[in-house]
Amino acid sequence: MLARWRSDTLNQTVTMTVRVESMVQDKAAVRPVVTAAPHRVFFLAGAAQLVVALLFWLAVLTGWYLPGALVVRLAIFGAAAHIFLMLYGLFTFFVFGFLMTTFPRWLGVQPIERPRYVSIALVMVLGMACYYGGVFVGRQLAVAGVAIYVAGWIGGLATLLQVWRRSDKADKRYVLFPFGCVSAGCAGAIVYAWWLGTQQSELLTIATAAGFWLYLVPLIVAVSYRMIPFFSSRVLDDYAVVKPGWTLPATLVCVAAHFALTVGGWAEWTVFPDLPLALLAAWHAWRWQFFRSLRVPLLGMLHVSFAWLAIAMGFFAAQSVLRLTGASFDLELAPLHALGIGYITGMVVAMASRVSLGHSGRPLIAGWATLWAFLIVQLAAIARVLAEIPPFQNHRSGLWLVLIAAAVWLIAFIPWSLRFGMMYLRPRIDGRPG
């Protein structure tokens, strides 16, 4: 009987051990899927931010504009928090997810090690969580959050620089342009943290201008310049690739001049860099065969987003002329939102959707979630631009358009984030690694 008891106990122990090992193996099987490639972990964080950042902003706006609505109490002025979240705390996840995936391929080196990019992503997520807490609790926590976030950002830059150094390619200078833009963005985030600690208004101006003109705009132009002709040539017959060598230097001159004039207090003179950049973008949109691209929705999304750059810079040029001539009205924030929603957000959605589909083994076809998100983003951009233009400007109807734009953003990105978020949590459907 004792022998039987020992035998039963041994069998139960073995069974329990097998179950525990099976559970551990199951967890180990899930974990690598989420972190199997840089774009998975970073895009997942970015998809969450697309919803959370605007959910926060919509809550703030309703408290400001809707009578009887709950007013959200903040330790930081809501508009300043919105600036950081949109310029530095949202798109940067997509930027690192894209660059950490493409840099090794562009430069012909081994992929970045999993522990490296996972640790960077986790540090940045922790920093962003602390920042959100600081927005409600106090500036000290917000400063700590930005500091942690920047530490992860610097780790990402160091990783990309190591990839560049390992490459044996003869001409690898072209990747220094996007690397420089991301470095400028890191510097802008540091300036924002400085503003949080000192409350010097000029620092917030510098951080805002750097986020647009030294970071996101030139970076996305650089990515557009490389990827739009390439993708177009893959799906359009008899497509002539147009990639003039002067495009990126000309873009850098224009955005650097706009930045310098803005922070120097001469924003009314930005027509001189803004108009050439608008014409440059319009010329590229035409030469890249905008109308032909619309036949392929996933490709057309890239071209439509790029066309917003020409529209936005046209608005900036018109704004400058209105101020120089002493007009009785101006366009207020219309140019910034045409640029931020129409161009930057539209391009991120188009590029992230394409990368996610391709790297999950799925066909490069825009499904309902992709088309829904992109089309609704266009409506959000139009609504937000109209809110700043007479007769809606400084009128209650303009306030409603602001609220509609924020609500429409959420309507666009909740299904998109759920759809693509599930892709990042699941293995590739073609069975390949990554």
Side-chain angles (χ1 to χ4, degrees):
M1 188 172 183
L2 180 61
R4 184 178 178 181
W5 178 82
R6 288 177 177 174
S7 177
D8 290 343
T9 303
L10 179 61
N11 289 336
Q12 291 175 4
T13 303
V14 170
T15 301
M16 186 178 298
T17 303
V18 170
R19 288 178 179 175
V20 171
E21 289 179 351
S22 177
M23 293 172 60
V24 171
Q25 289 173 358
D26 289 342
K27 291 182 179 180
V30 172
R31 192 162 49 243
V33 171
V34 182
T35 61
H39 79 276
R40 285 180 177 268
V41 62
F42 281 103
F43 282 16
L44 183 62
Q49 271 288 79
L50 280 169
V51 175
V52 175
L54 255 291
L55 193 61
F56 160 79
W57 187 231
L58 182 60
V60 173
L61 290 177
T62 54
W64 286 352
Y65 297 149
L66 291 184
L70 177 66
V71 177
V72 181
R73 302 295 179 184
L74 303 175
I76 299 169
F77 182 53
H82 181 60
I83 287 170
F84 178 78
L85 291 173
M86 300 308 295
L87 290 181
Y88 298 108
L90 194 163
F91 300 115
T92 303
F93 287 106
F94 291 101
V95 168
F96 274 117
F98 178 77
L99 292 182
M100 287 194 175
T101 300
T102 58
F103 250 50
R105 298 187 177 198
W106 289 349
L107 295 171
V109 300
Q110 291 296 315
I112 297 169
E113 299 82 2
R114 186 194 307 241
R116 187 67 175 269
Y117 62 74
V118 170
S119 61
I120 291 168
L122 290 177
V123 169
M124 294 180 71
V125 169
L126 175 62
M128 192 52 54
C130 290
Y131 177 77
Y132 274 114
V135 168
F136 295 99
V137 175
R139 289 182 176 275
Q140 293 80 5
L141 182 57
V143 172
V146 177
I148 296 170
Y149 187 71
V150 166
W153 196 323
I154 292 172
L157 288 172
T159 301
L160 294 176
L161 186 59
Q162 287 178 0
V163 171
W164 183 81
R165 286 176 173 172
R166 290 203 308 264
S167 176
D168 294 328
K169 282 202 169 185
D171 184 12
K172 58 180 183 178
R173 291 174 298 174
Y174 64 90
V175 300
L176 293 179
F177 189 97
F179 180 84
C181 296
V182 181
S183 300
C186 185
I190 292 172
V191 173
Y192 181 87
W194 191 3
W195 169 77
L196 278 175
T198 65
Q199 291 298 282
Q200 298 179 35
S201 59
E202 62 271 17
L203 294 176
L204 183 59
T205 300
I206 294 171
T208 304
F212 272 112
W213 304 109
L214 301 183
Y215 173 35
L216 290 176
V217 173
L219 173 65
I220 298 178
V221 168
V223 173
S224 304
Y225 173 79
R226 182 173 178 84
M227 305 309 290
I228 290 179
F230 172 74
F231 289 146
S232 299
S233 67
R234 300 291 295 270
V235 297
L236 299 179
D237 296 331
D238 301 321
Y239 183 83
V241 174
V242 177
K243 293 176 61 177
W246 48 266
T247 297
L248 295 184
T251 299
L252 183 58
V253 169
C254 291
V255 296
H258 188 111
F259 172 80
L261 290 169
T262 300
V263 301
W266 300 293
E268 67 273 15
W269 294 97
T270 58
V271 63
F272 294 104
D274 294 343
L275 184 57
L277 186 53
L279 295 174
L280 178 68
W283 182 82
H284 275 79
W286 176 260
R287 292 300 307 274
W288 286 343
Q289 304 185 29
F290 172 86
F291 293 104
R292 283 189 68 197
S293 75
L294 300 180
R295 302 173 188 173
V296 184
L298 194 62
L299 176 65
M301 289 163 55
L302 293 170
H303 286 259
V304 170
S305 299
F306 190 82
W308 270 103
L309 177 62
I311 295 170
M313 298 315 300
F315 275 130
F316 274 109
Q319 177 89 298
S320 176
V321 171
L322 289 172
R323 291 175 177 176
L324 282 173
T325 57
S328 59
F329 71 96
D330 65 17
L331 302 179
E332 295 192 6
L333 297 177
L336 280 177
H337 286 99
L339 187 67
I341 303 177
Y343 177 52
I344 296 174
T345 305
M347 190 63 74
V348 167
V349 171
M351 195 68 69
S353 298
R354 188 180 185 92
V355 170
S356 300
L357 290 170
H359 287 267
S360 65
R362 290 172 171 80
L364 294 177
I365 299 174
W368 70 268
T370 304
L371 290 175
W372 169 267
F374 187 77
L375 291 174
I376 300 300
V377 163
Q378 306 309 299
L379 294 179
I382 292 169
R384 192 62 187 85
V385 168
L386 286 177
E388 303 291 338
I389 298 177
F392 303 105
Q393 186 185 92
N394 300 322
H395 190 270
R396 186 154 188 84
S397 58
L399 300 181
W400 278 107
L401 283 172
V402 172
L403 289 172
I404 289 171
V408 161
W409 177 295
L410 289 174
I411 292 171
F413 284 118
I414 288 175
W416 186 91
S417 296
L418 289 174
R419 165 66 175 160
F420 283 91
M422 293 307 297
M423 288 186 191
Y424 310 140
L425 296 172
R426 293 172 177 168
R428 291 177 60 117
I429 63 173
D430 57 5
R432 296 173 57 188

